[in-house]
Amino acid sequence: MKDFIKENHKVIFVFLLTTVLYFYGSNKIPLLNRTDSRYAEIAREMVISGNYIVPKLMGTPHLHKPPLSYWFMALGMKIFGINEFGVRFFQIIFAILSLFIIYLIARELFDKEKAYWTLILSSTSPGIFFTSRILATDIFLFFFELTAFYFYLKFYKTKKEILLYLFWLSLGLGFMTKGPVAVVIPLLILVLISLFKLDFSEIKPLFRLKYLLTFSVIAFPWYLYLIFSDKKILEYFLIDQLYARIAGIKGTKIGHPKSVYYYFEILPILILPFYIPFLIAIIEKIRKGISNRDLFLITWFSFPLIFFSVILTKLPTYILFSIPPAAMLTADWIEETKSKLKCLWLTAGLIPFLFLLNTRYLNISSQINREIVKLSIITGILILFLSIIKFIKNKCFKALFFISWTILFIFIVKLFISYPQLLNSNKKLAYISKEFSHSGFTFVSFRQYAFQIPFYTHGETPYYCDIKIEKEISPFKKIISCKELKKLWDKENFLILVSKKDIINLTDLVKDCFVLAKDGNNFVISNKPLWGANINWKEGVKTHRLKAPVNLMQFVKVSFNNALTKAKQAIDKEYNLHDSELAIIKNRVYYEFEFVKRGDFFEVHVDAYTGNISIKEPVNEKAEFTEHDLKNLSNIEKGEARKIALNLIKGKILEEEIEIENGALCYAYHIEHNNNEYEILINVSNGLPFKISFEKQM
């Protein structure tokens, strides 16, 4: 064992470091819309229902993919509980196992040193790292395709028959992960290589009947069970899933159509640290002559890229299988080239420009973009500075290469953890919806899929409004039309989950809405101002808007209706409810009710945790503060408020002023957009939009 560790200490260190980085923060990143949360919810429903054969989303069969990936996610939650870490555990495990298989394949093709460099390059690939965090089938498929290639290469050298059984076993498990694509890509790559070499003797043994039977036993039983249960399922698999993804069918919601050049634009991000060395390696190999090994790797790299460029539906993770050969070709060139410092310089200089050109494909905010560019430039300058030191020796190259790329990769990991609120997630808003749903409010998701809601609330599904439901198998059972929402807006209590880009569509539908909370680009909006973003000063008691409602909601045990009943009982004579809100008083969370009786004001505070009641003595008039007093307590600049308002409703500002709304100091903006006028109030304490009103121009 000591000899093994001594001989492989560098490889062991890289694996340990990679494992720490890949698992770091996996319990803190919320589920993202839309695929991420959908897979998590399907796996959660498997755990709750015990039905592991038919995947279901919100109780409705969801047969887009075979169940193997769901089984791994469900197993993780059975072990670690229903949370982000549990559902992502095997995603990360399979990513690390994939890196191990990549290293083994490189050992089959190269010497130990080049395999070591292949491991470093693959480990620092943002494509593999991000795929390990995003819940989908791709990382599991990636592993099974890699194992199939490894067993094929071992068979090519040893001719042991057991390896062909393992080859088809791996493809069978891949088929149970993502269907036919798991078989088509690896086999076509091998066929193409044989065609280029005009020698099919190496692949003929693969197609013997006994090996195909091994594949069939693994791949087909689940499909056959469903097809025999319902004959329409076969049409669904062939037309709606297979053909629709390749060519597209009008009326279906399946697929992610992109430009034919999409993968050539996204590739630099997926192999960011070694993109330029990879391009140089390809050019050098073509210039000097391509060996059989180079032909194998170039074909392996190119085919998924071209194949999925032709296919209509496109996602970055589809070309994950092209990353290992790119890393191997680069590692081979790094070990052979004498222009090491030139390679290092080119890598460092290109990093910031790649981010500037390609972050739009990551669907991230400008704040993250700025952070990425800033540290990328710092990293590039550091590497460049080290490269031009005259006395530096080539033997230092490997250390510099490893350190610089590790710095960049650690930053990518940190960035993915530090800014989850800026990504597309509804975790906080899901907890808020759960709390207020017990207070008589109806929760509606407006024009977006919100699969995180049932995951985080353990099965409580919102109503969906104005969503183009999938043609055949739809999970949405609770649907409310825009017409119904408009009709009930003033009669019932609503909480609306809406994205920033759909604010205008909502305000076209209803006149007034009040912002309860914001998470990234999503808002929770109410038709009642009970929990508006307020700052009130009454008789010296300071109550303020909860900065992070989700962190305090766990302490709230008393529902709003129960608290209101207690408050009413505390005032035993005639009264009228004047105002109410959720407040913090002396570090305790309260439902605060303000009653008026015979011109006197009463404040009734119901402890949200225990239900205890406290009543303030009546005063003859409500305490008021001047606008000047409130301004001195504000935290947000007018320019920032103006920017927030313009981002919500992109138009022309007609008027701007200061207003006090329900005791909260707000910057008020009247904005004209498409001949309609909007009023937006921005709370000066926390910068949240407080109220959004819409009025059509006559």
Side-chain angles (χ1 to χ4, degrees), residues 295-335:
L295 176 65
F296 172 73
L297 292 174
I298 292 173
T299 306
W300 178 2
F301 166 80
S302 303
F303 182 76
L305 200 65
I306 297 171
F307 178 85
F308 286 111
S309 293
V310 175
I311 299 299
L312 177 71
T313 182
K314 296 177 177 67
L315 284 175
T317 53
Y318 288 1
I319 60 167
L320 202 64
F321 199 47
S322 290
I323 294 177
M328 293 178 199
L329 287 165
T330 307
D332 183 31
W333 178 77
I334 286 175
E335 279 297 303

Coordinates of all heavy atoms in Angstrom, one line a residue, residues 295-335:
L295 N -6.5 9.9 -34.5 CA -7.8 9.8 -35.3 C -8.9 9.3 -34.4 O -10.1 9.8 -34.5 CB -7.6 8.7 -36.4 CG -8.8 8.4 -37.2 CD1 -9.3 9.6 -38.0 CD2 -8.5 7.2 -38.1
F296 N -8.6 8.4 -33.5 CA -9.6 7.9 -32.5 C -10.1 9.1 -31.6 O -11.3 9.3 -31.5 CB -9.0 6.8 -31.6 CG -9.9 6.4 -30.5 CD1 -11.1 5.7 -30.7 CD2 -9.6 6.8 -29.2 CE1 -11.9 5.3 -29.6 CE2 -10.4 6.4 -28.1 CZ -11.5 5.6 -28.4
L297 N -9.2 9.9 -31.1 CA -9.6 11.0 -30.2 C -10.3 12.1 -30.9 O -11.3 12.7 -30.4 CB -8.3 11.5 -29.5 CG -7.7 10.5 -28.5 CD1 -6.4 11.1 -27.9 CD2 -8.7 10.2 -27.3
I298 N -9.8 12.5 -32.1 CA -10.5 13.5 -32.9 C -11.9 13.2 -33.3 O -12.8 14.0 -33.3 CB -9.6 13.9 -34.1 CG1 -8.3 14.6 -33.6 CG2 -10.3 14.9 -35.0 CD1 -7.3 14.9 -34.7
T299 N -12.0 11.9 -33.7 CA -13.4 11.4 -34.1 C -14.3 11.4 -32.9 O -15.5 11.8 -33.0 CB -13.3 10.0 -34.7 OG1 -12.4 10.0 -35.8 CG2 -14.7 9.6 -35.2
W300 N -13.8 10.9 -31.8 CA -14.5 10.9 -30.5 C -15.0 12.3 -30.1 O -16.1 12.6 -29.7 CB -13.7 10.3 -29.4 CG -14.3 10.3 -28.1 CD1 -15.5 10.7 -27.7 CD2 -13.7 9.7 -26.9 NE1 -15.7 10.5 -26.3 CE2 -14.6 9.9 -25.8 CE3 -12.4 9.2 -26.6 CZ2 -14.3 9.5 -24.5 CZ3 -12.1 8.8 -25.3 CH2 -13.0 8.9 -24.3
F301 N -14.1 13.3 -30.3 CA -14.4 14.7 -29.9 C -15.4 15.3 -30.9 O -16.4 16.0 -30.5 CB -13.1 15.5 -29.9 CG -13.4 17.0 -29.9 CD1 -13.7 17.7 -28.7 CD2 -13.3 17.8 -31.1 CE1 -14.0 19.0 -28.7 CE2 -13.6 19.1 -31.1 CZ -13.9 19.8 -29.9
S302 N -15.2 15.1 -32.2 CA -16.0 15.8 -33.2 C -17.4 15.3 -33.4 O -18.3 16.0 -33.6 CB -15.2 15.7 -34.6 OG -13.9 16.2 -34.4
F303 N -17.6 13.9 -33.3 CA -18.9 13.4 -33.6 C -20.0 13.9 -32.8 O -21.1 14.3 -33.3 CB -18.8 11.9 -33.6 CG -20.1 11.3 -34.0 CD1 -20.5 11.2 -35.4 CD2 -21.0 10.7 -33.1 CE1 -21.7 10.7 -35.8 CE2 -22.2 10.2 -33.5 CZ -22.6 10.2 -34.8
P304 N -19.9 13.9 -31.4 CA -21.0 14.5 -30.6 C -21.3 15.9 -30.9 O -22.4 16.4 -31.0 CB -20.5 14.3 -29.2 CG -19.5 13.2 -29.2 CD -18.9 13.3 -30.5
L305 N -20.2 16.7 -31.2 CA -20.3 18.1 -31.5 C -21.2 18.3 -32.8 O -22.1 19.1 -32.8 CB -19.0 18.7 -31.7 CG -18.8 20.2 -31.5 CD1 -19.1 20.7 -30.1 CD2 -17.4 20.6 -31.9
I306 N -20.9 17.5 -33.8 CA -21.6 17.6 -35.1 C -23.0 17.1 -35.0 O -23.9 17.6 -35.5 CB -20.7 17.0 -36.2 CG1 -19.4 17.7 -36.4 CG2 -21.5 17.0 -37.5 CD1 -18.4 17.0 -37.3
F307 N -23.1 15.9 -34.4 CA -24.4 15.2 -34.3 C -25.4 16.1 -33.6 O -26.5 16.3 -34.1 CB -24.2 13.9 -33.5 CG -25.4 13.1 -33.3 CD1 -25.9 12.2 -34.3 CD2 -26.2 13.2 -32.1 CE1 -27.1 11.5 -34.1 CE2 -27.3 12.5 -32.0 CZ -27.8 11.6 -32.9
F308 N -25.0 16.6 -32.4 CA -26.0 17.4 -31.7 C -26.2 18.8 -32.3 O -27.2 19.5 -32.0 CB -25.6 17.5 -30.2 CG -25.8 16.3 -29.5 CD1 -24.8 15.5 -29.0 CD2 -27.1 15.8 -29.2 CE1 -25.0 14.3 -28.4 CE2 -27.3 14.6 -28.6 CZ -26.3 13.9 -28.1
S309 N -25.3 19.3 -33.1 CA -25.5 20.5 -33.9 C -26.6 20.4 -34.9 O -27.3 21.3 -35.2 CB -24.2 21.0 -34.5 OG -23.2 21.3 -33.6
V310 N -26.7 19.2 -35.5 CA -27.7 18.9 -36.5 C -29.1 18.8 -35.8 O -30.1 19.2 -36.4 CB -27.3 17.7 -37.3 CG1 -28.5 17.3 -38.3 CG2 -26.0 18.0 -38.1
I311 N -29.1 18.1 -34.6 CA -30.3 17.9 -33.9 C -30.9 19.2 -33.5 O -30.2 20.1 -33.1 CB -30.1 17.0 -32.7 CG1 -29.5 15.6 -33.1 CG2 -31.3 16.8 -31.9 CD1 -30.4 14.8 -34.0
L312 N -32.3 19.3 -33.6 CA -32.9 20.5 -33.2 C -32.7 21.0 -31.8 O -32.4 22.1 -31.5 CB -34.4 20.4 -33.5 CG -35.3 21.6 -33.2 CD1 -35.0 22.8 -34.1 CD2 -36.8 21.3 -33.2
T313 N -33.0 20.1 -30.9 CA -32.9 20.4 -29.4 C -31.4 20.4 -29.0 O -30.7 19.5 -29.3 CB -33.7 19.4 -28.6 OG1 -33.7 19.8 -27.2 CG2 -33.2 18.0 -28.7
K314 N -31.1 21.4 -28.2 CA -29.7 21.6 -27.8 C -29.6 22.1 -26.4 O -30.3 23.0 -26.0 CB -29.0 22.6 -28.7 CG -28.9 22.2 -30.2 CD -28.2 23.2 -31.0 CE -28.0 22.8 -32.4 NZ -29.3 22.6 -33.1
L315 N -28.7 21.5 -25.6 CA -28.3 21.9 -24.3 C -26.8 21.8 -24.1 O -26.2 20.8 -24.7 CB -29.0 21.2 -23.2 CG -30.5 21.5 -22.9 CD1 -31.1 20.6 -21.9 CD2 -30.7 23.0 -22.5
P316 N -26.1 22.6 -23.3 CA -24.7 22.4 -23.2 C -24.2 21.1 -22.7 O -23.2 20.6 -23.2 CB -24.3 23.5 -22.1 CG -25.4 24.5 -22.2 CD -26.6 23.8 -22.6
T317 N -25.0 20.4 -21.9 CA -24.6 19.1 -21.3 C -24.6 18.0 -22.4 O -24.1 16.9 -22.1 CB -25.5 18.7 -20.2 OG1 -26.9 18.8 -20.6 CG2 -25.3 19.7 -19.0
Y318 N -25.3 18.2 -23.5 CA -25.3 17.2 -24.5 C -24.0 16.8 -25.1 O -23.8 15.7 -25.6 CB -26.3 17.6 -25.7 CG -27.7 17.6 -25.4 CD1 -28.2 17.3 -24.1 CD2 -28.7 18.0 -26.3 CE1 -29.5 17.3 -23.8 CE2 -30.0 18.0 -26.0 CZ -30.5 17.7 -24.7 OH -31.8 17.7 -24.4
I319 N -23.0 17.8 -25.1 CA -21.7 17.5 -25.7 C -20.7 17.2 -24.6 O -19.5 17.4 -24.8 CB -21.2 18.6 -26.6 CG1 -21.1 19.9 -25.9 CG2 -22.2 18.7 -27.8 CD1 -20.4 21.0 -26.7
L320 N -21.1 16.8 -23.4 CA -20.2 16.5 -22.3 C -19.2 15.4 -22.8 O -18.1 15.4 -22.3 CB -21.0 16.0 -21.1 CG -20.4 16.1 -19.8 CD1 -20.1 17.5 -19.4 CD2 -21.3 15.4 -18.7
F321 N -19.7 14.5 -23.6 CA -18.8 13.3 -24.0 C -17.7 13.8 -24.9 O -16.7 13.0 -25.1 CB -19.7 12.3 -24.8 CG -19.1 11.0 -24.9 CD1 -18.6 10.3 -23.8 CD2 -19.1 10.3 -26.1 CE1 -18.0 9.0 -23.9 CE2 -18.5 9.0 -26.2 CZ -18.0 8.4 -25.1
S322 N -17.7 15.0 -25.4 CA -16.6 15.5 -26.2 C -15.4 16.1 -25.3 O -14.3 16.3 -25.8 CB -17.0 16.7 -27.1 OG -17.9 16.1 -28.1
I323 N -15.6 16.3 -24.0 CA -14.6 16.9 -23.2 C -13.4 15.9 -22.9 O -12.3 16.4 -23.0 CB -15.3 17.3 -21.8 CG1 -16.2 18.5 -22.1 CG2 -14.2 17.8 -20.8 CD1 -17.0 18.9 -20.9
P324 N -13.6 14.6 -22.6 CA -12.4 13.8 -22.4 C -11.4 13.7 -23.5 O -10.2 13.9 -23.3 CB -13.1 12.4 -22.1 CG -14.4 12.7 -21.5 CD -14.9 13.9 -22.3
P325 N -11.9 13.5 -24.8 CA -10.9 13.5 -25.8 C -10.2 14.8 -26.0 O -9.0 14.9 -26.4 CB -11.7 13.1 -27.1 CG -13.1 13.4 -26.8 CD -13.2 13.2 -25.3
A326 N -10.9 15.9 -25.8 CA -10.2 17.2 -25.9 C -9.1 17.4 -24.8 O -8.1 17.9 -25.1 CB -11.3 18.3 -25.7
A327 N -9.4 16.9 -23.6 CA -8.4 16.9 -22.5 C -7.2 16.0 -22.9 O -6.1 16.4 -22.6 CB -9.1 16.5 -21.2
M328 N -7.5 14.9 -23.5 CA -6.4 13.9 -23.8 C -5.5 14.5 -24.9 O -4.3 14.4 -24.8 CB -7.0 12.6 -24.2 CG -7.6 11.8 -23.1 SD -8.4 10.3 -23.6 CE -9.5 10.0 -22.3
L329 N -6.1 15.1 -25.9 CA -5.3 15.7 -27.0 C -4.5 16.8 -26.5 O -3.3 17.0 -26.9 CB -6.3 16.2 -28.1 CG -6.9 15.1 -29.0 CD1 -8.1 15.7 -29.8 CD2 -5.9 14.5 -29.9
T330 N -5.0 17.6 -25.6 CA -4.3 18.7 -25.0 C -3.2 18.3 -24.1 O -2.0 18.8 -24.2 CB -5.2 19.6 -24.2 OG1 -6.4 20.0 -25.0 CG2 -4.5 20.9 -23.7
A331 N -3.4 17.2 -23.3 CA -2.4 16.7 -22.4 C -1.2 16.1 -23.2 O -0.1 16.3 -22.9 CB -3.0 15.6 -21.5
D332 N -1.6 15.4 -24.3 CA -0.5 14.9 -25.2 C 0.4 16.0 -25.8 O 1.6 15.9 -25.8 CB -1.2 14.1 -26.3 CG -0.2 13.5 -27.3 OD1 0.9 13.1 -26.8 OD2 -0.5 13.3 -28.5
W333 N -0.3 17.1 -26.2 CA 0.5 18.2 -26.8 C 1.3 18.9 -25.7 O 2.5 19.3 -25.9 CB -0.5 19.2 -27.4 CG 0.2 20.4 -28.0 CD1 1.0 20.5 -29.2 CD2 0.3 21.7 -27.4 NE1 1.5 21.7 -29.3 CE2 1.1 22.5 -28.3 CE3 -0.2 22.3 -26.3 CZ2 1.3 23.8 -28.0 CZ3 0.1 23.6 -26.0 CH2 0.8 24.4 -26.9
I334 N 0.8 19.1 -24.5 CA 1.5 19.8 -23.4 C 2.8 19.0 -23.1 O 3.8 19.7 -22.9 CB 0.6 19.9 -22.2 CG1 -0.5 21.0 -22.4 CG2 1.4 20.2 -20.9 CD1 -1.5 21.1 -21.2
E335 N 2.7 17.7 -23.0 CA 3.9 17.0 -22.7 C 4.9 16.9 -23.8 O 6.1 16.8 -23.6 CB 3.5 15.5 -22.4 CG 3.0 15.3 -21.0 CD 4.1 15.7 -19.9 OE1 5.2 15.0 -20.0 OE2 3.8 16.6 -19.1

